[in-house]
Amino acid sequence: MDPLSLIRGVLDTTEDAARALVGRERLRLAVTGLSRAGKTVFLTSLIANLVAAGRGARTLPALDEAVGGRIRRVQVVPAGTETVPRFDPEAHLGALAADPPHWPERTEDFSTLSIAIDVERRTSLGGLLPDRRVTLDLLDYPGEWLLDLPMLRQDYASWSAATLTRLRRGARAEVARDFLAFIDALPGDAAAEDALAKRGYTLYRDALRACRDEHGLRFLQPGRFLNPGPRGEAPLLWFFPLPEGARGGLASLCARRYAAYLDDQRSNFLDPFFTRFHRQVVLVDVLGALHAGQEAFEDTAEALAAVAAVVSGGNWLERLLGAAPTRVAFAATKADHVPSRARDSLAALVEHIALGARGRAEAGGAATSFHALAAIRCTEDAVATLEGQAFAAVRGILLNEGRGATIYPGEVPMRPPEPAFWQSGFFRMPEFRPPRLDPAGASGVPHLGMDGLLAWLLGDAL
Ligand code: GDP
């Protein structure tokens, strides 16, 4: 570990311990997920429900129980002076309170918000102490960047080999046609010219975008190629995978930029933010991936397994970065698209794919747990009749048509499905209209499973 991060780690620990003594603590919770996973909706619901709980509403029963009903007040703390944009709960809740309600605009890149939670304290004899204030710092960041973590364990040559193998398969090979033709036509000793490097980068980035947008693929690296963040597309990004045997100046330039890119991600994102999270939630739209078909599902599963191996392998991350989250929850979002009895299967499916072929995460890492949730519940359980047979279904209002509909979504497999599942090719995923919120927000937001997740993530710290 470098001396600076060691010192900072010690300072942070001392600072946290001192705060604990005077009853003022900070807990940093990072929320991430691949784009459209439901981060914005998740944070909006979390804030609305915590604030409502502070006003006495019982919107988060499992959390309430985990902390013995001691939550007294919850408020959003005014923005500090950080340069990171502020998550805007007022605008997001405004969208849900509109007539008709609509889904909040999604946030790109980074955003942050702090919430002060005042918790009642008692002495061992039951006497009352002044309330304890726990400040919950929320940080929302693009899950695409998480996919850079596995790259820290690979050098340029092995990353190139693995990436090109994947790129030459299935739907990728088709949308990466121009990029693959470009690298195949390059002489093995191509010179280090920036015009070439930029051309290769542009073709590679466009291929990644097409994989995501046209085929719902998720294992797409490097993350900043898809989501460049506030610092835009610098020449640092002008690299791409090259086949084995490329030895010229261009190959060395790409290898140098690969290393420089990872250093930059480390000093601008991992060190200042990632190492300071105490807790982490990784959101995954597993149902959306099932709906997108076999290739998209398997790719999402592979991406999630790669991320899970790193974020929950605390030992390795700690050695590399100096610190890592101690609890990591993986949650399948939009669980209100399936009836209640399918939600246990959904949570089991997330666990299976997150643990991937590797089995349990590396020993000594973060504690992990697996959930199925709907940050904003839009449906009720219902029964659909198909060809005279009754099926468990859900009923909600379709977003575009504004009319109620009973939807049989299809079966959720408990494990990554067998080929026969894809042959039947049936999984429905319409967009539902969110319920309209009362503008005062006093009663929180209807959800499924947010309280269980928060109880596991935060219960011990409150
Ligand atoms: P982000 O890109 O990860 O921030 O994704 P969003 O939070 O903007 O969510 C993307 C879309 O997914 C929303 O506009 C909704 O259509 C849908 N969605 C997200 N969460 C839920 C949920 O809990 N239930 C339902 N039915 N839809 C959801």
Side-chain angles (χ1 to χ4, degrees):
M1 187 192 304
D2 74 74
L4 258 184
S5 36
L6 186 66
I7 292 168
R8 211 185 41 216
V10 172
L11 282 178
D12 272 1
T13 319
T14 329
E15 191 190 14
D16 287 347
R19 282 209 179 91
L21 275 180
V22 293
R24 303 184 85 80
E25 293 151 62
R26 275 205 118 74
L27 190 68
R28 301 187 192 93
L29 169 65
V31 177
T32 194
L34 299 172
S35 90
R36 310 294 288 157
K39 296 184 294 294
T40 311
V41 172
F42 176 87
L43 277 169
T44 306
S45 164
L46 183 152
I47 294 162
N49 283 313
L50 274 177
V51 169
R55 292 181 185 154
R58 276 195 46 93
T59 66
L60 298 168
L63 178 67
D64 227 22
E65 198 170 307
V67 301
R70 289 176 300 109
I71 294 178
R72 287 286 160 267
R73 271 172 309 278
V74 179
Q75 51 190 320
V76 173
V77 177
T81 51
E82 311 89 12
T83 49
V84 176
R86 180 177 181 272
F87 185 82
D88 191 350
E90 294 80 10
H92 299 322
L93 288 167
L96 294 168
D99 188 14
H102 54 92
W103 290 101
E105 293 283 325
R106 10 187 328 226
T107 47
E108 293 278 344
D109 307 329
F110 257 175
S111 68
T112 180
L113 189 82
S114 297
I115 301 179
I117 306 176
D118 293 333
V119 187
E120 185 187 289
R121 285 199 298 180
R122 288 178 184 273
T123 63
S124 51
L125 297 174
L128 274 182
L129 289 170
D131 286 348
R132 211 172 110 230
R133 171 160 289 192
V134 179
T135 305
L136 182 65
D137 292 331
L138 300 166
L139 190 96
D140 158 20
Y141 70 91
E144 282 75 7
W145 297 1
L146 266 189
L147 277 166
D148 287 353
L149 286 172
M151 291 167 71
L152 294 167
R153 294 217 247 196
Q154 290 172 304
D155 62 12
Y156 172 71
S158 47
W159 174 74
S160 281
T163 303
L164 288 179
T165 306
R166 205 175 297 121
L167 211 55
R168 293 187 194 279
R169 279 196 318 238
R172 278 183 165 81
E174 191 192 310
V175 292
R177 223 178 15 244
D178 292 349
F179 171 71
L180 292 170
F182 169 81
I183 54 168
D184 290 341
L186 278 176
D189 59 353
E193 284 171 22
D194 247 344
L196 268 186
K198 188 163 185 204
R199 173 99 189 112
Y201 157 73
T202 309
L203 288 170
Y204 180 63
R205 181 206 58 198
D206 291 349
L208 293 182
R209 282 187 185 156
C211 288
R212 179 190 63 187
D213 300 339
E214 292 167 28
H215 296 283
L217 302 180
R218 294 286 177 237
F219 202 145
L220 305 169
Q221 295 170 318
R224 256 168 71 195
F225 282 29
L226 285 168
N227 206 322
R231 285 173 308 135
E233 295 190 343
L236 177 77
L237 305 190
W238 298 348
F239 70 90
F240 48 88
L242 273 170
E244 214 184 340
R247 301 253 174 274
L250 184 65
S252 327
L253 180 66
C254 284
R256 279 202 307 281
R257 284 196 175 142
Y258 174 87
Y261 169 84
L262 291 179
D263 275 352
D264 188 71
Q265 277 298 71
R266 192 184 292 189
S267 52
N268 286 299
F269 165 58
L270 297 170
D271 273 354
F273 297 106
F274 195 84
T275 58
R276 291 168 167 237
F277 304 155
H278 302 117
R279 311 284 152 103
Q280 165 81 60
V281 187
V282 180
L283 302 175
V284 198
D285 183 4
V286 178
L287 294 174
L290 274 180
H291 179 63
Q294 182 169 9
E295 192 168 356
F297 178 82
E298 286 172 358
D299 203 64
T300 303
E302 213 184 319
L304 183 65
V307 166
V310 178
V311 294
S312 50
N315 277 351
W316 175 79
L317 256 194
E318 252 175 85
R319 268 201 310 279
L320 189 83
L321 300 172
T326 51
R327 282 184 184 217
V328 183
F330 294 89
T333 50
K334 314 180 191 178
D336 57 333
H337 279 92
V338 295
S340 53
R341 64 173 205 188
R343 288 176 207 134
D344 289 343
S345 306
L346 186 58
L349 183 61
V350 182
E351 177 161 4
H352 270 286
I353 62 181
L355 298 179
R358 293 177 187 79
R360 281 257 145 228
E362 287 166 45
T368 47
S369 81
F370 303 90
H371 306 256
L373 62 85
I376 299 189
R377 177 181 190 168
C378 309
T379 67
E380 297 294 333
D381 278 8
V383 175
T385 312
L386 301 172
E387 292 167 6
Q389 252 192 300
F391 288 92
V394 291
R395 185 166 180 82
I397 298 173
L398 299 177
L399 185 69
N400 292 330
E401 297 165 40
R403 66 174 175 87
T406 298
I407 303 283
Y408 167 63
E411 291 304 309
V412 179
M414 287 184 77
R415 297 167 173 270
E418 303 293 328
F421 176 88
W422 303 110
Q423 274 146 29
S424 76
F426 183 69
F427 197 87
R428 278 182 80 192
M429 191 85 192
E431 213 176 348
F432 288 111
R433 179 196 276 180
R436 185 161 183 222
L437 298 191
D438 79 279
S443 48
V445 177
H447 65 87
L448 284 168
M450 289 288 286
D451 54 334
L453 176 85
L454 294 176
W456 185 80
L457 270 177
L458 311 177
D460 65 316
L462 294 178

